[in-house]
Amino acid sequence: MSKLFQDKVAIVTGAGNGLGKSHALALARLGAKVVVNDLGGDRAGQGASATAAQQVVEEIQAAGGTALVDGGDITRFADAEAMVQKALDAWGRVDILINNAGILRDKSFAKMDLADFRSVLEVHLMGTVNCCKAVWEPMRAQNYGRILMTTSASGLYGNFGQSNYGAAKMAVVGLMNTLRLEGAKNNIHVNALAPTAATRMTEDLLPPDFANLLSTESVTAGALAMCTEEAPSGEILCAGGGCYSRTTIFETEGVFVRPESQNAEHVAGQWQQIADTTTQHNLDNAAGQTERFIRKALTALQHGAAKAEA
Protein backbone atom coordinates (compact mmCIF):
# COMPACT_ATOMS: atom_id res chain seq x y z
CA MET A 1 0.00 0.00 0.00
CA SER A 2 1.19 3.52 -0.82
CA LYS A 3 2.54 5.51 2.13
CA LEU A 4 2.05 8.93 0.56
CA PHE A 5 1.93 10.62 3.97
CA GLN A 6 4.50 8.50 5.80
CA ASP A 7 5.85 10.33 8.91
CA LYS A 8 3.48 13.26 8.35
CA VAL A 9 1.31 14.54 11.20
CA ALA A 10 -2.23 15.62 10.32
CA ILE A 11 -5.08 17.29 12.16
CA VAL A 12 -8.62 16.84 10.85
CA THR A 13 -11.45 18.80 12.49
CA GLY A 14 -14.98 17.47 12.56
CA ALA A 15 -13.54 13.99 11.96
CA GLY A 16 -16.05 11.95 13.94
CA ASN A 17 -18.42 11.54 11.01
CA GLY A 18 -18.84 12.09 7.29
CA LEU A 19 -16.10 13.71 5.26
CA GLY A 20 -13.85 14.37 8.25
CA LYS A 21 -13.92 10.71 9.23
CA SER A 22 -13.19 9.70 5.64
CA HIS A 23 -10.25 12.15 5.48
CA ALA A 24 -8.81 10.91 8.79
CA LEU A 25 -9.08 7.22 7.88
CA ALA A 26 -7.46 7.78 4.48
CA LEU A 27 -4.60 9.85 5.92
CA ALA A 28 -3.86 7.15 8.48
CA ARG A 29 -4.06 4.44 5.84
CA LEU A 30 -1.45 6.36 3.84
CA GLY A 31 0.95 6.58 6.75
CA ALA A 32 0.04 9.80 8.57
CA LYS A 33 -0.32 10.16 12.32
CA VAL A 34 -3.71 11.77 12.83
CA VAL A 35 -5.37 13.95 15.45
CA VAL A 36 -9.07 13.19 15.16
CA ASN A 37 -10.90 16.29 16.38
CA ASP A 38 -14.65 16.37 16.94
CA LEU A 39 -16.73 18.20 19.53
CA GLY A 40 -19.38 15.55 19.02
CA GLY A 41 -22.37 17.80 18.56
CA ASP A 42 -25.29 17.21 16.23
CA ARG A 43 -25.69 18.73 12.77
CA ALA A 44 -26.83 22.03 14.26
CA GLY A 45 -23.88 22.11 16.65
CA GLN A 46 -25.84 21.15 19.78
CA GLY A 47 -24.38 18.85 22.42
CA ALA A 48 -20.91 17.40 22.87
CA SER A 49 -19.43 13.91 23.07
CA ALA A 50 -16.03 12.39 22.29
CA THR A 51 -17.58 9.03 21.39
CA ALA A 52 -17.61 9.46 17.59
CA ALA A 53 -14.03 10.74 17.45
CA GLN A 54 -12.85 7.97 19.78
CA GLN A 55 -14.45 5.36 17.52
CA VAL A 56 -12.54 6.76 14.54
CA VAL A 57 -9.28 6.61 16.52
CA GLU A 58 -9.99 3.00 17.48
CA GLU A 59 -10.73 2.13 13.85
CA ILE A 60 -7.41 3.66 12.79
CA GLN A 61 -5.52 1.84 15.53
CA ALA A 62 -7.22 -1.47 14.73
CA ALA A 63 -5.94 -1.13 11.16
CA GLY A 64 -2.38 -0.57 12.42
CA GLY A 65 -2.40 3.23 12.20
CA THR A 66 -1.55 5.93 14.70
CA ALA A 67 -4.09 8.43 15.98
CA LEU A 68 -5.26 10.32 19.03
CA VAL A 69 -8.57 11.88 19.93
CA ASP A 70 -9.34 15.54 20.57
CA GLY A 71 -12.74 16.74 21.70
CA GLY A 72 -11.94 20.44 21.69
CA ASP A 73 -14.30 23.18 20.54
CA ILE A 74 -12.56 24.91 17.62
CA THR A 75 -14.61 28.08 18.14
CA ARG A 76 -12.40 28.62 21.21
CA PHE A 77 -8.82 29.52 20.33
CA ALA A 78 -7.54 27.99 23.57
CA ASP A 79 -9.01 24.64 22.49
CA ALA A 80 -7.41 24.93 19.06
CA GLU A 81 -4.05 25.71 20.67
CA ALA A 82 -4.41 22.74 23.02
CA MET A 83 -5.24 20.47 20.08
CA VAL A 84 -2.12 21.52 18.20
CA GLN A 85 0.00 21.20 21.35
CA LYS A 86 -1.31 17.67 21.78
CA ALA A 87 0.05 16.79 18.33
CA LEU A 88 3.38 18.52 19.04
CA ASP A 89 3.77 16.75 22.37
CA ALA A 90 3.03 13.37 20.82
CA TRP A 91 4.85 13.64 17.50
CA GLY A 92 6.85 16.87 17.44
CA ARG A 93 5.29 18.54 14.41
CA VAL A 94 2.12 19.30 12.44
CA ASP A 95 2.32 18.96 8.67
CA ILE A 96 -1.32 18.97 7.58
CA LEU A 97 -4.45 20.74 8.78
CA ILE A 98 -7.79 19.92 7.22
CA ASN A 99 -10.46 22.39 8.38
CA ASN A 100 -13.57 20.27 7.98
CA ALA A 101 -15.76 20.92 11.04
CA GLY A 102 -19.10 22.52 10.34
CA ILE A 103 -22.73 22.93 11.32
CA LEU A 104 -25.94 23.83 9.51
CA ARG A 105 -28.75 26.12 10.63
CA ASP A 106 -30.65 26.69 7.41
CA LYS A 107 -33.50 29.18 6.97
CA SER A 108 -34.34 31.88 4.51
CA PHE A 109 -32.66 35.17 5.38
CA ALA A 110 -36.03 36.76 6.22
CA LYS A 111 -36.74 34.10 8.85
CA MET A 112 -33.22 33.51 10.15
CA ASP A 113 -32.34 34.46 13.71
CA LEU A 114 -29.09 36.41 13.79
CA ALA A 115 -27.87 34.15 16.60
CA ASP A 116 -28.00 31.25 14.13
CA PHE A 117 -26.15 33.35 11.57
CA ARG A 118 -23.38 34.06 14.08
CA SER A 119 -23.17 30.44 15.24
CA VAL A 120 -22.53 29.19 11.72
CA LEU A 121 -19.92 31.90 11.15
CA GLU A 122 -18.24 30.99 14.45
CA VAL A 123 -17.79 27.34 13.49
CA HIS A 124 -17.00 27.57 9.79
CA LEU A 125 -15.06 30.85 9.70
CA MET A 126 -13.66 31.50 13.18
CA GLY A 127 -13.12 27.79 13.81
CA THR A 128 -10.99 27.72 10.67
CA VAL A 129 -9.21 30.92 11.68
CA ASN A 130 -8.46 29.55 15.15
CA CYS A 131 -7.03 26.30 13.83
CA CYS A 132 -4.95 28.04 11.16
CA LYS A 133 -3.59 30.46 13.76
CA ALA A 134 -2.73 27.61 16.12
CA VAL A 135 -0.71 25.70 13.49
CA TRP A 136 0.81 28.75 11.79
CA GLU A 137 3.91 29.24 13.93
CA PRO A 138 4.79 25.51 14.15
CA MET A 139 4.50 25.26 10.36
CA ARG A 140 6.59 28.40 9.86
CA ALA A 141 9.25 27.06 12.25
CA GLN A 142 9.55 23.78 10.35
CA ASN A 143 9.27 25.48 6.93
CA TYR A 144 6.50 23.16 5.84
CA GLY A 145 2.73 23.05 6.01
CA ARG A 146 -0.32 22.04 4.05
CA ILE A 147 -3.65 23.63 5.02
CA LEU A 148 -7.00 22.78 3.45
CA MET A 149 -10.08 24.95 3.88
CA THR A 150 -13.52 23.50 3.25
CA THR A 151 -15.60 25.87 1.16
CA SER A 152 -18.85 25.07 -0.64
CA ALA A 153 -20.79 25.69 -3.82
CA SER A 154 -23.26 27.46 -1.51
CA GLY A 155 -20.62 30.10 -0.88
CA LEU A 156 -19.18 30.18 -4.37
CA TYR A 157 -22.52 30.34 -6.18
CA GLY A 158 -25.27 30.77 -3.57
CA ASN A 159 -28.00 28.47 -2.28
CA PHE A 160 -31.48 29.38 -1.06
CA GLY A 161 -31.80 29.21 2.72
CA GLN A 162 -28.06 29.18 3.39
CA SER A 163 -27.05 32.84 3.71
CA ASN A 164 -25.13 32.13 6.93
CA TYR A 165 -23.41 29.02 5.58
CA GLY A 166 -22.71 30.63 2.20
CA ALA A 167 -21.21 33.74 3.80
CA ALA A 168 -18.92 31.63 5.99
CA LYS A 169 -17.86 29.37 3.16
CA MET A 170 -16.94 32.27 0.89
CA ALA A 171 -15.09 33.91 3.77
CA VAL A 172 -12.68 30.97 4.10
CA VAL A 173 -11.76 31.45 0.42
CA GLY A 174 -10.74 35.01 1.26
CA LEU A 175 -8.68 33.65 4.17
CA MET A 176 -7.02 31.14 1.85
CA ASN A 177 -6.17 33.83 -0.70
CA THR A 178 -4.18 35.79 1.87
CA LEU A 179 -2.62 32.89 3.81
CA ARG A 180 -1.21 31.34 0.65
CA LEU A 181 0.65 34.62 0.05
CA GLU A 182 1.87 34.97 3.63
CA GLY A 183 2.84 31.31 3.91
CA ALA A 184 4.70 31.02 0.62
CA LYS A 185 8.17 31.87 1.95
CA ASN A 186 7.83 29.11 4.57
CA ASN A 187 6.55 26.46 2.15
CA ILE A 188 3.04 26.59 3.59
CA HIS A 189 0.52 25.79 0.86
CA VAL A 190 -3.11 26.70 1.46
CA ASN A 191 -5.96 25.40 -0.68
CA ALA A 192 -9.73 24.97 -0.52
CA LEU A 193 -12.06 22.05 -1.18
CA ALA A 194 -15.66 22.45 -2.36
CA PRO A 195 -17.17 19.01 -1.72
CA THR A 196 -20.40 17.31 -2.68
CA ALA A 197 -21.00 14.13 -0.71
CA ALA A 198 -23.79 12.20 0.94
CA THR A 199 -23.31 12.91 4.66
CA ARG A 200 -25.51 13.89 7.59
CA MET A 201 -24.86 17.52 6.58
CA THR A 202 -26.49 16.95 3.19
CA GLU A 203 -29.02 14.20 3.93
CA ASP A 204 -31.95 16.63 3.58
CA LEU A 205 -30.54 18.22 0.43
CA LEU A 206 -29.66 15.24 -1.77
CA PRO A 207 -31.96 12.57 -3.21
CA PRO A 208 -31.43 9.16 -1.47
CA ASP A 209 -30.57 7.49 -4.79
CA PHE A 210 -27.43 9.64 -5.04
CA ALA A 211 -25.90 8.39 -1.79
CA ASN A 212 -23.78 5.66 -3.37
CA LEU A 213 -22.61 7.89 -6.20
CA LEU A 214 -21.66 10.79 -3.94
CA SER A 215 -19.38 8.84 -1.63
CA THR A 216 -17.19 10.53 0.94
CA GLU A 217 -14.23 8.53 -0.36
CA SER A 218 -14.44 10.18 -3.77
CA VAL A 219 -14.19 13.60 -2.13
CA THR A 220 -11.37 12.49 0.17
CA ALA A 221 -9.27 11.53 -2.85
CA GLY A 222 -9.37 15.17 -3.94
CA ALA A 223 -8.87 16.53 -0.44
CA LEU A 224 -5.70 14.52 0.11
CA ALA A 225 -4.35 15.44 -3.33
CA MET A 226 -4.37 19.06 -2.12
CA CYS A 227 -2.33 18.10 0.98
CA THR A 228 0.64 16.37 -0.66
CA GLU A 229 4.15 17.80 -0.84
CA GLU A 230 3.54 18.54 -4.55
CA ALA A 231 0.18 20.25 -4.00
CA PRO A 232 -0.41 23.70 -5.53
CA SER A 233 -1.37 26.69 -3.40
CA GLY A 234 -4.30 29.08 -3.56
CA GLU A 235 -6.53 26.73 -5.54
CA ILE A 236 -10.17 25.71 -5.12
CA LEU A 237 -10.82 22.06 -5.96
CA CYS A 238 -14.43 20.97 -6.44
CA ALA A 239 -15.01 17.27 -5.83
CA GLY A 240 -18.01 14.95 -5.85
CA GLY A 241 -19.17 11.69 -7.38
CA GLY A 242 -15.76 11.01 -8.86
CA CYS A 243 -15.72 14.38 -10.65
CA TYR A 244 -13.01 16.96 -9.99
CA SER A 245 -12.84 20.52 -11.27
CA ARG A 246 -11.20 23.85 -10.47
CA THR A 247 -13.04 27.01 -9.55
CA THR A 248 -11.26 30.32 -9.89
CA ILE A 249 -12.10 34.03 -9.77
CA PHE A 250 -11.52 36.04 -12.93
CA GLU A 251 -11.89 39.72 -13.69
CA THR A 252 -13.12 40.98 -17.06
CA GLU A 253 -11.07 43.40 -19.15
CA GLY A 254 -13.66 46.08 -18.45
CA VAL A 255 -13.69 49.66 -19.74
CA PHE A 256 -12.03 52.99 -19.00
CA VAL A 257 -14.38 55.93 -18.59
CA ARG A 258 -12.90 59.42 -18.94
CA PRO A 259 -13.20 61.71 -15.87
CA GLU A 260 -15.90 63.92 -17.38
CA SER A 261 -18.14 60.84 -17.91
CA GLN A 262 -17.54 59.07 -14.61
CA ASN A 263 -21.13 59.05 -13.40
CA ALA A 264 -23.63 56.33 -12.54
CA GLU A 265 -25.65 56.71 -15.75
CA HIS A 266 -22.64 56.37 -18.01
CA VAL A 267 -21.22 53.38 -16.11
CA ALA A 268 -24.61 51.66 -16.17
CA GLY A 269 -24.78 52.28 -19.92
CA GLN A 270 -21.44 50.49 -20.37
CA TRP A 271 -22.52 47.38 -18.48
CA GLN A 272 -22.54 45.04 -21.48
CA GLN A 273 -18.93 45.86 -22.25
CA ILE A 274 -17.92 45.81 -18.56
CA ALA A 275 -19.38 42.32 -18.20
CA ASP A 276 -17.93 40.97 -21.46
CA THR A 277 -16.00 37.79 -20.61
CA THR A 278 -14.17 37.55 -23.94
CA THR A 279 -10.97 38.66 -22.22
CA GLN A 280 -10.46 37.76 -18.58
CA HIS A 281 -7.63 38.23 -16.11
CA ASN A 282 -6.61 35.88 -13.30
CA LEU A 283 -5.11 38.22 -10.70
CA ASP A 284 -2.40 36.99 -8.34
CA ASN A 285 -3.24 39.37 -5.49
CA ALA A 286 -5.28 42.47 -4.62
CA ALA A 287 -2.54 44.84 -5.78
CA GLY A 288 -2.77 43.26 -9.23
CA GLN A 289 -6.18 44.84 -9.76
CA THR A 290 -4.92 48.31 -8.78
CA GLU A 291 -1.88 47.97 -11.03
CA ARG A 292 -4.06 46.82 -13.95
CA PHE A 293 -6.49 49.70 -13.50
CA ILE A 294 -3.65 52.25 -13.38
CA ARG A 295 -2.06 50.83 -16.55
CA LYS A 296 -5.40 50.77 -18.34
CA ALA A 297 -6.30 54.34 -17.31
CA LEU A 298 -2.87 55.77 -18.18
CA THR A 299 -2.86 54.04 -21.56
CA ALA A 300 -6.33 55.39 -22.36
CA LEU A 301 -5.44 58.93 -21.24
CA GLN A 302 -2.15 58.93 -23.14
CA HIS A 303 -3.88 57.61 -26.24
CA GLY A 304 -6.50 60.35 -25.94
CA ALA A 305 -3.84 63.05 -25.52
CA ALA A 306 -1.95 61.78 -28.56
CA LYS A 307 -5.13 61.90 -30.65
CA ALA A 308 -5.81 65.46 -29.47
CA GLU A 309 -2.31 66.57 -30.45
CA ALA A 310 -2.68 64.97 -33.87
Side-chain angles (χ1 to χ4, degrees):
M1 181 180 291
S2 166
K3 292 297 181 182
L4 184 63
F5 296 102
Q6 188 69 47
D7 300 323
K8 294 290 191 290
V9 175
I11 295 173
V12 184
T13 67
N17 293 281
L19 283 172
K21 177 180 178 179
S22 179
H23 298 341
L25 292 174
L27 282 163
R29 201 161 49 243
L30 294 172
K33 301 174 179 69
V34 185
V35 176
V36 178
N37 162 268
D38 203 299
L39 180 62
D42 61 18
R43 195 173 71 162
Q46 305 292 338
S49 170
T51 302
Q54 184 59 45
Q55 288 174 346
V56 175
V57 168
E58 291 171 2
E59 188 172 342
I60 288 172
Q61 292 172 339
T66 303
L68 56 82
V69 68
D70 180 80
D73 181 351
I74 60 166
T75 67
R76 297 197 291 254
F77 182 57
D79 284 16
E81 282 188 305
M83 173 180 67
V84 172
Q85 192 60 51
K86 190 178 294 187
L88 294 173
D89 291 344
W91 303 310
R93 59 189 294 119
V94 177
D95 301 287
I96 297 165
L97 167 65
I98 298 183
N99 293 294
N100 170 78
I103 63 171
L104 285 179
R105 295 188 182 180
D106 293 354
K107 272 187 182 176
S108 68
F109 190 61
K111 297 178 180 178
M112 183 174 295
D113 190 303
L114 287 180
D116 285 339
F117 202 105
R118 289 191 185 95
S119 293
V120 169
L121 286 177
E122 278 294 320
V123 176
H124 290 275
L125 176 56
M126 291 311 301
T128 295
V129 170
N130 289 338
C131 292
C132 288
K133 183 67 172 175
V135 302
W136 198 250
E137 286 308 314
M139 287 183 173
R140 276 166 44 89
Q142 68 196 22
N143 276 306
Y144 185 87
R146 297 294 181 265
I147 297 175
L148 188 66
M149 314 296 191
T150 301
T151 183
S152 170
S154 295
L156 297 171
Y157 309 116
N159 197 34
F160 190 94
Q162 291 194 315
S163 58
N164 49 3
Y165 182 75
K169 286 308 192 183
M170 197 60 185
V172 299
V173 173
L175 179 63
M176 174 199 76
N177 285 336
T178 293
L179 293 190
R180 62 101 181 173
L181 294 172
E182 296 185 4
K185 66 180 180 181
N186 293 114
N187 193 24
I188 301 173
H189 292 193
V190 189
N191 293 291
L193 175 76
T196 300
T199 68
R200 68 175 184 166
M201 289 279 282
T202 59
E203 62 188 2
D204 298 335
L205 306 174
L206 297 172
D209 293 346
F210 289 178
N212 291 333
L213 176 64
L214 297 173
S215 69
T216 56
E217 291 79 9
S218 68
V219 172
T220 291
L224 269 56
M226 305 304 277
C227 296
T228 64
E229 291 188 9
E230 297 76 22
S233 192
E235 299 289 354
I236 304 169
L237 176 70
C238 306
C243 301
Y244 307 91
S245 60
R246 172 183 182 250
T247 288
T248 190
I249 298 171
F250 288 101
E251 188 168 300
T252 65
E253 175 61 29
V255 301
F256 171 73
V257 177
R258 298 188 67 81
E260 61 271 17
S261 299
Q262 290 172 6
N263 55 67
E265 293 84 359
H266 191 84
V267 173
Q270 299 293 308
W271 181 250
Q272 187 170 353
Q273 189 174 349
I274 291 170
D276 182 8
T277 58
T278 303
T279 303
Q280 296 182 347
H281 300 269
N282 189 357
L283 303 177
D284 188 58
N285 54 51
Q289 183 192 71
T290 303
E291 292 166 4
R292 193 176 74 81
F293 281 178
I294 290 172
R295 286 196 304 269
K296 188 175 181 67
L298 288 176
T299 299
L301 289 171
Q302 290 166 359
H303 181 69
K307 285 181 65 177
E309 290 176 2

